[in-house]
Amino acid sequence: MLRVALIGFGAIGGSVYELLKGDAGLAVTAIVVPAEGVAAAQALAPGVQVASSVPASGIDLVLETAGHAAIEEHVLPALARGTPCIVASVGALSAGGCADKLEAAALAGRTQVQLIAGAIGAIDALAAARLGGLDSVRYTGRKPPQAWKGTPAEQGRDLGALTQASVIFEGSAREAARLYPKNANVAATVSLAGLGLDRTLVRLIADPATAENVHTVEAEGAFGSFALSMRNKPLAANPKTSALTVYSAVRALRNRAAALAI
Ligand SMILES: NC(=O)c1ccc[n+]([C@@H]2O[C@H](COP(=O)([O-])OP(=O)(O)OC[C@H]3O[C@@H](n4cnc5c(N)ncnc54)[C@H](O)[C@@H]3O)[C@@H](O)[C@H]2O)c1
């Protein structure tokens, strides 16, 4: 039985906890949240150790679902101690130095940090295709106009008055992550699997004709080409998070415990 520590107990962490109840190969034995969230998490997960840092012993695997600060605060020390970690906040790796720090901590602990595919698919195909050489990778994120409220998309544009699809950003994944950090997870994941943050083209669209978040990835290279389009349903607990991210995290955990992994 693998003993799992969850870092973060919000929309993703809470859903992962529910899905793993009664799992034959994995048990959530610790939950890590900021000090002010300990009592609430204890009430939702009776019998599980809830703390504001990852226990130094008795943990076989860590799943992070808490954001950039938690990577610095909890994932880096856990890796350095030798505990393997699975990271959901892949957008955090767009920040300068974060990927290098994760790699260095995992090397120091002689362990591994795994980034989940999360809300997007075809990451296996993209990462494999990279070995043969990729010529171009483009990610397009299309969301209803109100999903872009509170972002630079509002500058010089009345999102509520849009009557047709409007491109709000076109540029590199690095620039997209800087300007739209809350939407950085998918672009960062596609970049890390493929051509990197500077050569991955990102287009963000506000579309009054869609009620869903539509992610499209198009790639070309020596392998051939593919185009993937996903219409993800949101999690009720956090409409900004795709439900698929939860399943992606649970799949990553179960693959660590399974005799046959896919
Ligand atoms: N890879 C993907 O495709 C993908 C998709 C959606 C979300 N995400 C990322 O997953 C993360 C969680 O998303 P969510 O929807 O569950 O968010 P959420 O806001 O519902 O939950 C976040 C949780 O993390 C906790 N937390 C925050 N800072 C912490 C810290 N320093 N230490 C410990 N706990 C801390 C909060 O208390 C909360 O319990 C976010 O970083 C988000 O960007 C990734």
Side-chain angles (χ1 to χ4, degrees), residues 119-125 138-140 186 190 214-219 225-232 244:
I120 192 69
I123 293 304
D124 53 349
R138 179 200 286 266
Y139 161 66
T140 305
V186 171
V190 169
V214 186
H215 303 286
T216 307
V217 180
E218 295 153 282
S225 65
F226 77 75
L228 168 91
S229 185
M230 305 201 41
R231 311 178 87 86
N232 288 348
L244 187 66

Side-chain angles (χ1 to χ4, degrees), residues 11-240:
I12 299 176
S15 304
V16 167
Y17 172 73
E18 290 299 323
L19 279 174
L20 288 183
K21 272 185 184 168
D23 193 279
L26 301 155
V28 175
T29 55
I31 291 171
V32 180
V33 286
E36 62 274 17
V38 169
Q42 255 158 359
L44 292 168
V48 177
Q49 182 185 359
V50 181
S52 48
S53 61
V54 179
S57 62
I59 298 296
D60 302 308
L61 191 54
V62 164
L63 171 68
E64 174 282 329
T65 64
H68 194 161
I71 291 182
E72 296 274 342
E73 211 177 321
H74 305 300
V75 174
L76 294 177
L79 286 171
R81 280 199 302 272
T83 311
C85 294
I86 297 172
V87 164
S89 302
V90 182
L93 276 75
S94 308
C98 184
D100 291 340
K101 281 189 207 167
L102 281 168
E103 204 174 352
L107 275 170
R110 294 172 183 246
T111 186
Q112 193 180 53
V113 55
Q114 180 188 352
L115 311 175
I116 61 165
I120 192 69
I123 293 304
D124 53 349
L126 191 57
R130 177 173 64 177
L131 304 181
L134 285 165
D135 298 323
S136 70
V137 181
R138 179 200 286 266
Y139 161 66
T140 305
R142 183 183 294 264
K143 298 186 180 186
Q146 63 270 22
W148 299 110
K149 284 210 168 118
T151 73
E154 285 185 315
Q155 284 157 23
R157 181 184 288 113
D158 180 356
L159 287 171
L162 287 183
T163 53
Q164 56 185 26
S166 172
V167 176
I168 57 166
F169 172 86
E170 200 156 23
S172 70
R174 188 181 299 282
E175 192 62 0
R178 190 179 71 76
L179 293 170
Y180 294 85
K182 292 194 175 139
N183 291 276
N185 285 304
V186 171
T189 307
V190 169
S191 300
L192 289 161
L195 279 177
L197 287 164
D198 294 312
R199 290 181 60 207
T200 302
L201 301 175
V202 172
R203 199 165 40 158
L204 302 176
I205 297 173
D207 186 352
T210 184
E212 297 161 305
N213 294 347
V214 186
H215 303 286
T216 307
V217 180
E218 295 153 282
E220 279 180 32
F223 75 101
S225 65
F226 77 75
L228 168 91
S229 185
M230 305 201 41
R231 311 178 87 86
N232 288 348
K233 291 198 169 150
L235 266 182
N238 183 355
K240 287 191 174 160

